[in-house]
Amino acid sequence: MLKISNAVELADWEIEITQIRAQGAGGQNVNKVASAVHLRFDILNSSLPPFYKERLMALSDQRINKDGIIVIKAQSFRTLELNKEDALERLKELIQEAVKQKKARRPTKPTKGSQRRRVDSKTKKGKTKALRGKVQL
């Protein structure tokens, strides 16, 4: 069971984990041991609440394909167990971030005092630059 929140949990049968060989350099061990992990999670056929599914499908994340399947590849660690934990944690973070309510931005106006100070500093700077010109005789 993967616990997303107090009310939402994912069963083990919903998450498909397959072992693969890790990419890249790493010597002989990388070439003979399948310690990397591919995690696949089908959003539409899961037991997530509809609100979670909608928010996940609305995300523009490269890990989510157009069929609604999340694919996470974990190969950071040397052992299969650590890579499994890493992939599950990343899935949990992705789901939690999708559901998090974003605070709406309220546009504000600058205060009268700040506007006045800005204009005063500009005129002062202009006067200073005017004094740098040629001297009139």
Side-chain angles (χ1 to χ4, degrees):
M1 295 290 270
L2 180 65
K3 188 171 182 151
I4 304 298
S5 68
N6 291 335
V8 179
E9 289 184 344
L10 294 177
D12 292 334
W13 61 268
E14 295 182 274
I15 302 168
E16 178 189 333
I17 296 177
T18 54
Q19 300 177 25
I20 58 169
R21 262 195 236 150
Q23 290 178 307
Q28 294 174 353
N29 198 50
V30 166
N31 298 329
K32 66 182 182 180
V33 178
S35 61
V37 167
H38 250 178
L39 180 143
R40 297 174 67 82
F41 176 71
D42 191 355
I43 298 169
L44 300 175
N45 296 327
S46 68
S47 63
L48 286 174
F51 172 71
Y52 279 63
K53 291 180 183 180
E54 290 170 14
R55 295 295 290 268
L56 279 169
M57 291 302 289
L59 278 181
S60 60
D61 195 305
Q62 64 184 10
R63 297 172 287 187
I64 303 173
N65 64 18
K66 65 180 183 293
D67 299 327
I69 297 175
I70 298 174
V71 179
I72 296 175
K73 184 176 182 181
Q75 61 179 11
S76 304
F77 300 100
R78 287 177 60 100
T79 63
L80 180 68
E81 293 78 25
L82 287 175
N83 282 327
K84 276 185 185 178
E85 289 176 22
D86 181 41
L88 289 171
E89 187 62 34
R90 284 164 47 194
L91 174 66
K92 180 179 175 181
E93 287 174 6
L94 177 67
I95 294 171
Q96 287 174 341
E97 283 296 317
V99 180
K100 195 179 288 184
Q101 292 288 342
K102 304 224 178 355
K103 187 177 176 183
R105 183 189 176 277
R106 290 187 323 172
T108 57
K109 292 182 179 178
T111 63
K112 290 281 187 189
S114 67
Q115 289 177 346
R116 195 175 303 118
R117 285 190 297 272
R118 181 180 146 271
V119 172
D120 289 345
S121 70
K122 285 170 70 82
T123 54
K124 184 178 176 186
K125 193 73 104 174
K127 289 177 184 174
T128 304
K129 288 186 175 186
L131 292 174
R132 295 180 189 157
K134 288 190 174 184
V135 179
Q136 299 290 329
L137 293 177

